[in-house]
Amino acid sequence: MKKIIVGVMIVSSMLFGGIVHEEKNYSYLDKIPKKELAQELTKELVKNLNLPLKLDKITVLQNIFAYDDDILLLKTLDDDNYKIKEIMNNKKIKQIFIKKMLIADSQHFCNDSIWSYLINKRNIIPEINYYNRKGKLLFKYTIEPSDCEKVKH
């Protein structure tokens, strides 16, 4: 029962947490081992999100996995989109695009109270892998506590 309550609290915070930028007390999660917390969080997210989930015109969240004590998010970029195709074919522009994506993802994760707690207090690191529609890895990065420092609201 305790896991269900924790799961519901985590999922509701993750789904709606980005709307309000307020610090919440997640000390009740401190007693849960890091690996178990990452696994439980992932299980609840997968159960409560309708994956694959279209995030915007060109991005789809395909799946979420726990590995060790971190969380892996698999996203697909629509590389049939002519702008994305141009970006992926130009090394310099691609690097700028990746930096901008990291900043945008960092803002989302780091300004969400539960993710901020997970990243900064528990060192549960989200790794985001972006693939094209054919399953080829385009780029990936992790969101570290140092990234959160750069995008504090």
Side-chain angles (χ1 to χ4, degrees), residues 76-80 85 131-138:
T76 302
L77 277 180
D78 181 4
D79 60 336
D80 288 338
K85 204 175 279 189
Y131 292 87
N132 69 11
R133 292 174 61 161
K134 294 178 182 162
K136 177 186 173 202
L137 180 65
L138 299 172

Side-chain angles (χ1 to χ4, degrees), residues 77 83-104 130 137-141:
L77 277 180
K83 288 181 184 178
I84 295 299
K85 204 175 279 189
E86 284 180 18
I87 290 168
M88 293 300 128
N89 290 326
N90 183 315
K91 201 173 207 175
K92 187 175 181 179
I93 294 173
K94 181 179 177 181
Q95 290 307 311
I96 294 168
F97 178 76
I98 292 169
K99 284 182 186 177
K100 289 183 181 267
M101 293 296 286
L102 173 60
I103 290 168
Y130 284 89
L137 180 65
L138 299 172
F139 58 91
K140 65 181 180 177
Y141 47 74

Side-chain angles (χ1 to χ4, degrees), residues 10 26-38 69-70 114-125 145:
I10 289 172
Y26 294 103
S27 59
Y28 61 93
L29 299 175
D30 290 347
K31 294 177 176 73
I32 301 172
K34 187 175 161 181
K35 187 173 184 172
E36 184 182 330
L37 182 58
D69 49 10
D70 292 324
I114 185 69
W115 277 110
S116 179
Y117 164 80
L118 294 169
I119 295 166
N120 294 302
K121 302 282 193 259
R122 297 301 302 273
N123 201 38
I124 295 176
I125 304 299

